[in-house]
Amino acid sequence: MTTSTSPAFRPLDRPGMAARVAADIPEGWCVNLGIGMPTLVADHVPPDREVIFHSENGLIGMGPVPPEDAVDPWVINAGKQNVTMRTGAALVHHGDSFAIIRGGHLDLCLLGAYEVSAAGDLANWATSEAEAAPAVGGAMDLAVGAKRLWVMMEHTTRDGRPKLVDRCSYPLTAPRAVTRIYTNLAVIDVTPEGFEVRNIVPGLSLEDLQSKTGAALRTRS
């Protein structure tokens, strides 16, 4: 049994994770947010920073979730959530939306995942998972079409199994595609040498982070 070496620490909640990702998105990037947790990021980009959010169902210039009294039922993201449109937004054909993806015009795609390997392999779909979309969907296009792929996910499963691993056990969405991972415990880059820790939540030691990770961690030199 592993004994914790860390004092009390508080994992980030989902809004906290979204705010951490949003802080790292530069001015002017065109960004696709995958369904699930990544969609929260649109709510946390500072209003004075221009980031163009793309949704593969054909919305360019997606804004945050609207208040309940201002919902437009016709404005949704790819996960069928009600969203808003920022000034200058455009609605385009589904084929044009995927031309943006496949043409390499996205600066960043942010996806959720079941697992990410130390080589950057992405596994974010599985027919065996309850309540999951039973197909790879547009993630396969996004994972290889965007200039950068980041992942936002919990560091472990609900029963404590690592989601950052040496080798994925789920079917792959794309090999060697992920460049950075945001979890509720840390921010980790995927490098040619494996997982490199950029940031850890206050109060959590590297040793304890390693105990929750299924592959070797290294720190930035």
Side-chain angles (χ1 to χ4, degrees):
M1 182 177 179
T2 302
T3 301
S4 173
T5 60
S6 295
F9 70 93
R10 178 176 295 178
L12 295 176
D13 59 13
R14 291 188 174 190
M17 293 167 65
R20 182 66 183 81
V21 176
D24 285 349
I25 299 177
E27 176 87 19
W29 274 18
C30 185
V31 180
N32 179 280
L33 301 176
I35 62 175
M37 279 197 289
T39 60
L40 298 174
V41 172
D43 297 337
H44 293 276
V45 173
D48 60 345
R49 185 187 306 164
E50 184 180 26
V51 175
I52 301 171
F53 287 115
H54 165 279
S55 185
E56 61 262 40
N57 59 322
L59 173 54
I60 317 300
M62 180 177 67
V65 174
E68 291 185 5
D69 61 352
V71 170
D72 183 338
W74 296 103
V75 182
I76 60 172
N77 61 20
K80 301 181 182 179
Q81 297 171 306
N82 291 108
V83 292
T84 53
M85 297 173 64
R86 292 197 178 278
T87 301
L91 298 174
V92 303
H93 187 276
H94 192 252
D96 294 325
S97 180
F98 271 80
I100 291 172
I101 298 168
R102 295 170 181 172
H105 302 294
L106 292 175
D107 295 293
L108 170 67
C109 176
L110 180 69
L111 295 176
Y114 290 127
E115 291 176 332
V116 176
S117 81
D121 301 332
L122 171 68
N124 78 338
W125 73 283
T127 57
S128 61
E129 291 295 320
E131 301 179 3
V136 68
M140 62 181 181
D141 299 272
L142 291 161
V144 299
K147 295 175 184 176
R148 302 164 188 84
L149 177 61
W150 295 351
V151 163
M152 179 181 173
M153 65 180 186
E154 303 288 342
H155 203 89
T156 62
T157 63
R158 291 178 182 176
D159 60 0
R161 289 182 292 112
K163 298 177 74 171
L164 279 69
V165 294
D166 271 321
R167 185 170 182 173
C168 294
S169 60
Y170 288 96
L172 295 187
T173 305
R176 298 181 178 275
V178 179
T179 54
R180 185 176 295 175
I181 306 156
Y182 291 81
T183 79
N184 55 331
L185 301 180
V187 180
I188 296 171
D189 282 338
V190 180
T191 75
E193 292 75 34
F195 291 137
E196 182 178 276
V197 180
R198 291 177 59 90
N199 177 265
I200 304 176
V201 294
L204 181 66
S205 70
L206 179 62
E207 181 181 354
D208 277 349
L209 182 67
Q210 180 65 78
S211 73
K212 302 175 187 298
T213 307
L217 297 174
R218 59 192 297 267
T219 57
R220 304 180 73 183
S221 56

